[in-house]
Amino acid sequence: MALSWRPAALIALGIIPALIFAQWHVVVVWVAAVVVLTIVDAILAASPRALEVTRTLPTQVKLGEVAQGEFVVSNRGRRTARGLLHDAWGPSAGVVTPVQRLVVRAGDATRVPCVLQPTRRGDRVAAHVTVRLFGPMRLGARQLSLLAPSTVKVLPEFRSSKHLPSRLALLREIDGGSAVQIRGQGTEFDSLRPYVEGDDVRSIDWRATARSREVTVRTWRPERDRRVIIVVDTSRTSAPQVAGETRLDAYIEAALLLGALASHAGDRVEVLAHDRSSRAHVSAHAGSKVLHELAVALSGVQPVLVESDWDVVAAKVRERVWQRSLVVVLSNADITTPENGFVTAISTLAAQHTVVVASVSDPETTAMSTDVSDSAAVFGAAAAQATLLARRAALGVLERSQAITVDSLPNDLAPRVADTYLMLKATGRL
């Protein structure tokens, strides 16, 4: 049984006769009458056990978008059900209207909208809805939680999709779609054409020249069906928030943009989210579903407050690829601490593969390093400068290990990683 605000209001009104008659038994009679009326009203309410609730919602929705669904409430009882329906989602599900009015005639059914606007990635789960049905006087009510299970997978927002068209245009140029062929290590032969001034003389095909009696050069295009391994660090260093989002969110944006770009290039994409254990793994061949597979796999990945085991990560990469591939490591691991094994793991991988290490820089640290407005700010600027210098020195260690480093703001990380991939394609290093 549940109560509305009306019994309390009626009891408060009892102050008036109590003041008029100045008798304590008047108050007792008044309160007893309100209690009896409330109980009778609750008895006259429709039984919530006679209701049947089913919920329909899309199984997946992108973060920031609205999921439109509905409840279908059927009344198998003999009384009209009047009351409230409470949608029992967690706060991050972003229920637009958690409590809604409900009126269902006996033997009839009605539809009630269910609208979600989630605020976090991952699976949003609801098992029950709570129904509160009032009596004719709306004093007392019957309340029951009914089973209406539903799960909505909230996919990453993928704001970096706005950078995809321009990078695909560059990819088509590199791949020969705009008649731009290149020569370099790791490229495939494309065709023969007459020599023009400015061509690399090393591209001259002397046998074809002898047959055609004019100087002929070979054109090349980047190899397809290469392997791109993306390692997403989910350890404690991915948890801090930078510019309103966690570093892990920036990693996921970069992984999605690079995965979409590489799949359009005909490369095979593999993503490994790892700290001390594997949190997500997806291996996708080139095709239109690659981006969706990556988004689904990474939707539920959250930062874990442990250190990453980089020796295990390097071993897993070596298990999955044997030919030279592109390995992109998205991490802000503490390079200045040799004990975590990060530099050793990167050096080992760089000896066999092309390795890119991408990390998120903090705009607040950069701003603090230039703030000398007062004496307190000077000390902060000195500390920020020391942090930035240590970071640059650590990145230099990685570059001396033959790794390519990308250090960028959260919103710029994804396009910078994509540009690095295109640069490797254009120079024949992939």
Side-chain angles (χ1 to χ4, degrees):
M1 179 176 172
L3 302 178
S4 69
W5 58 269
R6 287 178 173 82
L10 288 176
I11 291 174
L13 287 175
I15 297 175
I16 297 175
L19 294 175
I20 294 175
F21 296 102
Q23 298 290 331
W24 64 267
H25 62 270
V26 174
V27 177
V28 174
V29 172
W30 184 273
V31 172
V34 172
V35 170
V36 170
L37 285 174
T38 302
I39 294 174
V40 171
D41 192 47
I43 293 173
L44 294 176
S47 173
R49 298 184 184 277
L51 298 183
E52 183 177 313
V53 180
T54 58
R55 177 180 7 219
T56 58
L57 273 170
T59 56
Q60 297 177 353
V61 64
K62 191 181 293 185
L63 183 65
E65 294 183 352
V66 175
Q68 299 278 358
E70 65 178 9
F71 294 101
V72 177
V73 184
S74 304
N75 185 1
R76 298 171 297 175
R78 298 179 179 179
R79 299 175 182 173
T80 299
R82 293 184 176 88
L84 301 174
L85 184 146
H86 183 270
D87 200 358
W89 290 89
S92 60
V95 183
V96 175
T97 310
V99 180
Q100 302 187 69
R101 292 190 177 277
L102 181 67
V103 178
V104 190
R105 295 180 179 178
D108 200 358
T110 188
R111 298 177 184 271
V112 179
C114 175
V115 182
L116 305 181
Q117 190 169 9
T119 57
R120 288 183 61 190
R121 292 181 291 103
D123 291 339
R124 307 274 77 85
V125 180
H128 299 85
V129 293
T130 301
V131 177
R132 179 179 294 181
L133 302 181
F134 291 97
M137 294 178 287
R138 298 186 67 83
L139 297 175
R142 299 186 187 185
Q143 181 171 302
L144 184 67
S145 292
L146 302 175
L147 191 64
S150 183
T151 300
V152 177
K153 185 178 288 295
V154 184
L155 303 179
E157 188 176 0
F158 193 30
R159 301 184 307 273
S160 302
S161 60
K162 62 185 179 183
H163 301 291
L164 189 57
S166 61
R167 270 62 183 184
L168 289 177
L170 291 173
L171 179 64
R172 284 191 292 270
E173 288 188 3
I174 295 171
D175 201 28
S178 299
V180 178
Q181 283 86 22
I182 61 172
R183 181 187 186 279
Q185 182 183 3
T187 54
E188 290 181 344
F189 171 74
D190 182 65
S191 62
L192 296 172
R193 62 169 176 81
Y195 174 87
V196 295
E197 186 177 355
D199 282 339
D200 191 340
V201 294
R202 293 175 295 176
S203 298
I204 297 175
D205 189 315
W206 296 107
R207 292 186 178 181
T209 299
R211 289 194 301 268
S212 62
R213 295 186 179 181
E214 67 175 343
V215 181
T216 305
V217 296
R218 297 178 180 179
T219 58
W220 308 78
R221 61 183 177 185
E223 292 184 23
R224 303 181 73 86
D225 198 28
R226 308 299 289 174
R227 296 290 293 271
V228 178
I229 312 297
I230 306 173
V231 179
V232 179
D233 182 12
T234 59
S235 68
R236 64 172 183 83
T237 59
S238 67
Q241 288 204 350
V242 180
E245 63 179 12
T246 64
R247 288 171 176 168
L248 181 58
D249 292 326
Y251 299 162
I252 291 175
E253 287 286 323
L256 293 177
L257 182 60
L258 177 57
L261 188 59
S263 67
H264 278 85
D267 294 333
R268 288 181 290 172
V269 180
E270 191 166 353
V271 175
L272 175 66
H274 200 281
D275 41 75
R276 285 197 172 277
S277 59
S278 181
R279 304 298 173 180
H281 174 243
V282 59
S283 180
H285 292 275
S288 59
K289 296 183 178 180
V290 170
L291 182 58
H292 182 261
E293 292 177 11
L294 297 182
V296 170
L298 296 173
S299 62
V301 175
Q302 301 295 338
V304 183
L305 300 182
V306 298
E307 295 286 349
S308 283
D309 191 336
W310 290 105
D311 293 334
V312 173
V313 172
K316 286 183 176 293
V317 172
R318 290 195 299 268
E319 288 174 4
R320 284 168 170 78
V321 291
W322 55 91
Q323 76 272 32
R324 189 169 184 84
S325 306
L326 174 63
V327 179
V328 179
V329 180
L330 302 168
S331 174
N332 274 73
D334 188 1
I335 307 173
T336 60
T337 305
E339 292 79 9
N340 63 14
F342 182 72
V343 175
T344 303
I346 295 300
S347 300
T348 303
L349 292 174
Q352 300 173 326
H353 308 286
T354 301
V355 177
V356 176
V357 179
S359 56
V360 176
S361 60
D362 189 352
E364 293 185 4
T365 303
T366 305
M368 185 184 297
S369 66
T370 58
D371 182 11
V372 290
S373 56
D374 53 48
S375 58
V378 169
F379 287 100
Q385 284 285 2
T387 300
L388 294 175
L389 289 174
R391 182 68 182 171
R392 292 187 190 117
L395 293 176
V397 172
L398 292 178
E399 291 171 355
R400 287 192 292 274
S401 300
Q402 304 304 313
I404 302 169
T405 60
V406 177
D407 193 43
S408 183
L409 298 175
N411 291 334
D412 298 332
L413 184 67
R416 288 279 306 279
V417 171
D419 290 341
T420 303
Y421 169 80
L422 292 172
M423 180 271 293
L424 293 172
K425 279 279 189 183
T427 56
R429 297 171 62 184
L430 179 59

